[in-house]
Amino acid sequence: MILVTGGAGYIGSHCVLALQEAGYEVVVFDNLSSGHSEVIGCTELFQGDLTNLPDIMAVFEGRKIDAVMHFAAKIEVGESVIAPQKYYYNNVYGTLNLLNAMKEFNVSKIVFSSTAAVYGEPEYTPINENHPKNPINPYGRTKLMIENILDDYDKAYGLRSVCFRYFNVAGADTQGRTGEWHEPETHLIPNILKAGSGKIFEIYGADYDTKDGTCIRDYINVENLAQAHLLGLEYLLNGGATDCFNLGTNEGSSVKEVFAACEKITKSEIPVKIHPRRAGDAAVLVADNSKVKSVLGWSPKKTLEDSIASAYQWEKSLQGVLIA
Ligand code: UFG
């Protein structure tokens, strides 16, 4: 059985579905602070909080957990700057409790949801895994701290881990079972798709040193990302050593390009205006994904257009839920 912390969240829920489709039994642990139980159907859900050690101990009690996928975390860069305590407490302390429980119950494999934010301001692009790690906000620092803790736990206790450093995750389940559902929403594609009926999409800065002046990001499809997690899990189950991998496509798209693709796919004119830059945004963030390709045999299959199309379907059903 695989324990998925944060399994009711955006990325976690896609991984829950992928695990089940691959034949794994899954138990989800989530405090539902930002996750939604609706997106995991009838998967077993244990509602608890990682910062409360007895909660997570109770999940391991009486269950044979073979490995853990760990997504539960606070994830907003901006919020992490104004409320760092929340981030260190939930992300770092919460993970320490999870690792305690794993150690106590002899569970020695974990797939960890990390981020490109561990690299900080890019010194070169595309970014490979050896790029210096100088996160520029508390969110990125918590993720890097956890990566370091995992390394130390491997050396001392034999806990093996795969850390995936995500670039910009996009899209939704093509069967419409789950998708991006953040409140408030800060991410680019859902924000573009939510514009209209009086709401104007804002481009955060059009004066960057890029081809069209807007920021360039590497958008990776969430279903493809979930497949990488399955490969990471199988790698650990087959005895693979602790390692970190970028998850991205090697290709960058500008905000204006993403916006144009959204207008094309939705066949609508989306209201837009240029806004000043958002603090902390790097001009270009693109992954070098050669390591995950060669070690895990993963490669991105879906295009940015595929991601936007599935995100659009999801957004329409979400608006139906919210209105209903
Ligand atoms: N953007 C806009 N308008 C919006 C929202 C975003 O112009 O309404 C722009 C941003 O300025 C940025 C790009 O779209 O240039 C992508 O922004 P997102 O907020 O969608 O994603 P980020 O690149 O800021 O963040 C993502 C993850 C973080 C992670 C980071 C790693 O969401 O969790 O990548 O660098 F930390």
Side-chain angles (χ1 to χ4, degrees):
M1 177 181 265
I2 309 299
L3 165 63
V4 182
T5 75
Y10 171 44
I11 296 170
S13 60
H14 285 84
C15 289
V16 166
L17 296 174
L19 282 165
Q20 289 169 335
E21 269 155 28
Y24 290 97
E25 227 188 306
V26 175
V27 57
V28 167
F29 181 88
D30 203 300
N31 65 7
L32 299 181
S33 65
S34 54
H36 303 271
S37 57
E38 297 93 312
V39 298
I40 51 167
C42 49
T43 311
E44 185 187 3
L45 169 67
F46 193 108
Q47 194 176 343
D49 200 301
L50 283 181
T51 58
N52 186 30
L53 184 61
D55 280 4
I56 185 65
M57 284 290 195
V59 181
F60 285 86
E61 210 93 46
R63 284 184 185 82
K64 162 109 188 50
I65 308 284
D66 301 299
V68 176
M69 281 195 187
H70 178 32
F71 301 95
K74 296 278 164 207
I75 60 153
E76 283 172 42
V77 171
E79 186 191 48
S80 80
V81 176
I82 47 177
Q85 185 188 4
K86 203 187 217 181
Y87 280 71
Y88 289 105
Y89 184 62
N90 279 281
N91 296 4
V92 182
Y93 178 65
T95 300
L96 284 172
N97 280 341
L98 170 66
L99 298 181
N100 269 353
M102 289 176 68
K103 193 162 161 280
E104 195 70 26
F105 287 88
N106 295 312
V107 178
S108 61
K109 297 164 207 78
I110 182 167
V111 176
F112 173 59
S113 155
S114 189
T115 168
V118 299
Y119 296 116
E121 200 58 50
E123 292 180 15
Y124 55 84
T125 185
I127 296 172
N128 61 15
E129 288 81 358
N130 297 325
H131 183 284
K133 280 140 214 97
N134 297 309
I136 54 170
N137 51 62
Y139 166 69
R141 278 192 277 277
T142 64
K143 292 284 182 174
L144 183 58
M145 280 177 189
I146 297 166
E147 287 195 9
N148 290 332
I149 291 168
L150 289 172
D151 261 346
D152 289 338
Y153 273 47
D154 184 6
K155 292 186 190 100
Y157 312 125
L159 175 91
R160 286 181 295 117
S161 60
V162 161
C163 295
F164 284 123
R165 298 180 184 142
Y166 310 152
F167 283 68
N168 288 62
V169 188
D173 176 53
T174 30
Q175 293 178 48
R177 295 166 294 180
T178 185
E180 207 161 357
W181 190 355
H182 299 121
E183 285 153 6
E185 187 51 77
T186 60
H187 293 107
L188 177 63
I189 293 171
N191 271 359
I192 298 174
L193 297 174
K194 281 179 202 297
S197 2
K199 229 165 133 195
I200 301 172
F201 166 67
E202 294 173 337
I203 295 179
Y204 298 148
D207 57 350
Y208 285 93
D209 185 15
T210 58
K211 53 187 168 186
D212 61 18
T214 63
C215 289
I216 292 178
R217 293 290 181 273
D218 182 339
Y219 295 89
I220 170 175
N221 177 269
V222 68
E223 289 183 312
N224 287 171
L225 184 101
Q227 287 307 318
H229 285 67
L230 278 186
L231 294 172
L233 173 69
E234 277 152 19
Y235 164 88
L236 288 175
L237 293 173
N238 291 327
T242 291
D243 218 336
C244 291
F245 302 96
N246 285 341
L247 284 181
T249 67
N250 243 353
E251 274 171 40
S253 307
S254 74
V255 172
K256 280 187 177 166
E257 285 170 340
V258 174
F259 179 79
C262 287
E263 284 200 317
K264 192 165 163 225
I265 286 161
T266 61
K267 297 188 181 71
S268 61
E269 235 178 77
I270 300 170
V272 56
K273 68 174 182 207
I274 307 290
H275 190 268
R277 291 183 181 196
R278 184 172 69 176
D281 275 342
V284 181
L285 277 176
V286 176
D288 176 335
N289 64 6
S290 43
K291 185 175 172 189
V292 66
K293 279 183 166 166
S294 67
V295 179
L296 298 185
W298 174 87
S299 60
K301 303 273 189 302
K302 298 199 185 225
T303 63
L304 173 66
E305 286 71 22
D306 294 332
S307 294
I308 293 172
S310 58
Y312 182 44
Q313 288 312 313
W314 169 254
E315 198 54 49
K316 285 195 287 193
S317 70
L318 199 55
Q319 284 175 16
V321 168
L322 293 177
I323 293 161

